């Protein structure tokens, strides 16, 4: 079981933090099959389809139907539309910096770099 704890107090964050993992390929439709109407999908299925097809220009109309079907997806779409290429580059550079810092810290504590790969 995975449990996230507050670093300063050691208390469980289960009432404050939700981590949801969704295997998007399981929600992919058969090739050539008609896409299901958003009204026939559960909320979880609508979110999965949204993340699965968001970047697909061929499914832009379907994604818009998903956006119109649920307020939360509509908000997510607004946030994604405000991300710029600069934000994405910053995220990539920051992720590299974090990984490099972790590697250096591990080396300082005598942890084998091979364990970090």
């Amino acid at each position: 079981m995975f449990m996230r704890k507050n670093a300063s107090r050691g208390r469980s964050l289960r009432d404050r933090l939700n981590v949801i993992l969704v295997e998007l390929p399981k929600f992919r439709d058969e090739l050539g099959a008609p896409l299901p109407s958003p009204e026939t999908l559960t909320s979880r299925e609508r979110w999965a389809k949204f993340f699965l097809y968001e970047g697909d220009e061929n499914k832009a109309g379907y994604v818009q139907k998903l956006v119109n079907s649920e307020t939360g997806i509509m908000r997510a779409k607004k946030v994604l539309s405000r991300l710029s290429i600069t934000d994405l580059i910053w995220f990539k550079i920051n992720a590299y910096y974090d990984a490099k810092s972790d590697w250096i810290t591990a080396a300082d504590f005598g942890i084998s770099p091979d364990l970090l790969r």
Side-chain angles (χ1 to χ4, degrees), residues 12 14 19 27 46-47 54 68 107-108 114:
S12 170
R14 71 171 181 226
V19 177
F27 290 91
R46 283 192 293 267
W47 274 97
E54 169 54 25
N68 294 337
D108 288 346
D114 294 332

Side-chain angles (χ1 to χ4, degrees), residues 34-92:
L35 295 169
S37 170
E39 293 79 27
T40 64
L41 301 173
T42 66
S43 181
R44 179 181 357 171
E45 290 169 329
R46 283 192 293 267
W47 274 97
K49 300 275 187 198
F50 171 72
F51 285 119
L52 188 62
Y53 297 132
E54 169 54 25
D56 189 339
E57 292 178 10
N58 296 325
K59 294 192 173 50
Y62 185 69
V63 169
Q64 191 56 47
K65 287 180 185 176
L66 291 168
V67 168
N68 294 337
S69 71
E70 191 161 323
T71 306
I73 296 176
M74 191 177 295
R75 289 183 186 142
K77 176 75 173 168
K78 284 182 183 178
V79 169
L80 288 175
S81 69
R82 291 183 184 140
L83 283 178
S84 69
I85 192 68
T86 307
D87 295 328
L88 298 174
I89 291 170
W90 175 87
F91 179 78
K92 189 172 185 175

Side-chain angles (χ1 to χ4, degrees), residues 26 28 31 38 54 67 72 82 104-106 111 114-116:
K26 289 184 177 181
R28 189 176 304 278
L31 192 60
E54 169 54 25
V67 168
R82 291 183 184 140
I104 291 169
T105 301
I111 298 172
D114 294 332
L115 294 175
L116 300 175

Side-chain angles (χ1 to χ4, degrees), residues 4-21:
R4 181 86 176 150
K5 293 195 175 204
N6 179 306
S8 63
R9 296 187 179 160
R11 294 184 182 164
S12 170
L13 294 176
R14 71 171 181 226
D15 296 330
R16 296 177 192 93
L17 176 70
N18 289 325
V19 177
I20 300 171
L21 300 174

